[in-house]
Amino acid sequence: MFGRSSSWVGRQAKSKNIHSLDHLKYMYHVLTKNTTVTDHNRNLLVETIRSITEILIWGDQNDSSVFDFFLEKNMFAFFLNILRQKSGRYVCVQLLQTLNILFENISHETSLYYLLSNNHVNSIIVHKFDFSDEEIMAYYISFLKTLSLKLNNHTVHFFYNEHTNDFALYTEAIKFFNHPESMVRIAVRTITLNVYKVDNQHMLHYIRDKTAVPYFSNLVWFIGSHVIELDKCVQTDEEHKNRGKLSDLVAEHLDHLHYLNDILTINCEFLNEVLTDHLLNRLFLPLYVYSLVGQEQVRPPHPRLFIVLQTPTFHQAPTHA
């Protein structure tokens, strides 16, 4: 009996080797003793999550048993529990940063499957973060971009649920397609392209049926509004004092065109049909062609409100002037 008791205590003792299964067991013990976030244990929990991440990255290359233990004890649930306690921006930022580092550095698909199982990652994706906080926004969209880089025919099933028609990684990302911060917009474009490149017909049909029309409609409207802003800048700057602004607007417009080209060259036929229809009728004809033939320039219509089940609401969508 004493031998078993001694062994139990030993498992809770802090291991001298921080990159080991024993140390992960100790970190698990710390989590179980600190399930509620307080001012006193906030820093301890952040450091514990960081240590767990380091061990998992090490285990990915050296010892798969750490992932066995991580999954057996459902340790990701502790991360989610900490997040749901509204424990403050510091914890949110540190958790998002740590998760981003973790998924960036995992190289073996088996390790990735361990992390993506139990749907905890999707729960983090749909968590109601304070996106008015620039740092939280930056780490969140970076986390989504990192996850999108892991998408392939094998991993997409962890994100897209065919039975419930739910794809949080994609639908949450495109809400920020016209975010005022350019780096966020660029990340959203990267995420969408990574999604479109996955040759999973069920997932792509979901995108076409549930999100393509509202997303491409809003995207084309946003590009058209940007074109009008660029045109106004040229027409009102007779003394060429706003060359810097004009240069930025042109660069942004070229980025838009490159993004459209990237989507089209993926060559997903039914997505291309939706996109080209919106480009032709909401951008090329009413703006580019009409201006060339000398007709009065017409502002592209504001996208209609598409009331579609599970259609995302776009953050900071443009308002009709």
Side-chain angles (χ1 to χ4, degrees), residues 25-273:
K25 291 178 178 179
Y26 174 73
M27 293 293 100
Y28 170 71
H29 175 69
V30 173
L31 289 178
T32 59
K33 297 299 181 182
N34 294 272
T35 55
T36 302
V37 182
T38 67
D39 291 337
H40 299 293
N41 67 6
R42 195 183 309 272
N43 290 331
L44 172 65
L45 285 170
V46 167
E47 289 304 317
T48 300
I49 292 171
R50 285 177 178 171
S51 295
I52 291 171
T53 297
E54 288 183 17
I55 297 169
L56 290 174
I57 293 172
W58 170 84
D60 178 55
Q61 300 294 327
N62 299 280
D63 185 359
S64 62
S65 66
V66 300
F67 281 93
D68 294 331
F69 183 82
F70 185 84
L71 187 63
E72 175 191 344
K73 298 300 183 181
N74 197 18
M75 292 179 70
F76 225 130
F78 286 93
F79 295 5
L80 194 57
N81 175 57
I82 291 170
L83 196 60
R84 286 173 172 168
Q85 291 182 51
K86 297 181 179 180
S87 47
R89 70 175 302 276
Y90 172 70
V91 174
C92 283
V93 167
Q94 295 301 319
L95 186 58
L96 285 171
Q97 182 184 35
T98 302
L99 288 174
N100 196 36
I101 293 171
L102 174 60
F103 280 94
E104 276 185 339
N105 288 278
I106 292 298
S107 58
H108 291 101
E109 282 209 340
T110 303
S111 302
L112 186 61
Y113 297 160
Y114 276 122
L115 293 175
L116 295 176
S117 61
N118 295 326
N119 208 42
H120 293 315
V121 170
N122 285 317
S123 296
I124 292 174
I125 292 173
V126 300
H127 179 75
K128 301 300 182 184
F129 291 97
D130 178 12
F131 293 122
S132 64
D133 187 303
E134 292 182 2
E135 196 170 11
I136 290 177
M137 179 73 253
Y139 280 118
Y140 175 79
I141 203 67
S142 180
F143 176 51
L144 265 55
K145 184 175 74 171
T146 297
L147 292 175
S148 75
L149 292 169
K150 302 295 183 179
L151 283 174
N152 56 45
N153 280 326
H154 301 294
T155 60
V156 69
H157 302 290
F158 291 105
F159 298 99
Y160 168 61
N161 189 322
E162 183 180 342
H163 301 291
T164 61
N165 252 1
D166 184 46
F167 193 6
L169 175 60
Y170 179 75
T171 56
E172 293 301 312
I174 61 176
K175 292 177 181 179
F176 302 100
F177 83 100
N178 66 339
H179 192 275
E181 175 56 52
S182 64
M183 293 306 295
V184 175
R185 297 196 301 271
I186 292 170
V188 171
R189 295 170 199 164
T190 301
I191 293 166
T192 58
L193 291 173
N194 288 336
V195 169
Y196 300 154
K197 289 175 184 176
V198 179
D199 186 19
N200 181 286
Q201 292 303 303
H202 292 293
M203 179 268 291
L204 291 172
H205 278 88
Y206 161 79
I207 290 175
R208 180 197 63 184
D209 297 338
K210 297 294 184 180
T211 69
V213 171
Y215 176 59
F216 289 149
S217 178
N218 278 274
L219 175 65
V220 171
W221 189 93
F222 179 68
I223 295 173
S225 298
H226 188 271
V227 170
I228 293 173
E229 184 182 2
L230 195 159
D231 182 64
K232 287 180 179 178
C233 182
V234 172
Q235 293 190 31
T236 58
D237 188 26
E238 296 179 356
E239 298 181 4
H240 307 292
K241 293 181 179 180
N242 292 327
R243 288 187 177 181
K245 180 182 178 181
L246 181 60
S247 178
D248 291 341
L249 289 171
V250 170
E252 179 79 5
H253 186 55
L254 289 174
D255 285 344
H256 293 155
L257 296 179
H258 285 304
Y259 175 51
L260 294 173
N261 181 67
D262 288 341
I263 296 175
L264 294 170
T265 53
I266 291 173
N267 204 26
C268 180
E269 184 176 349
F270 46 80
L271 286 182
N272 284 1
E273 287 177 359

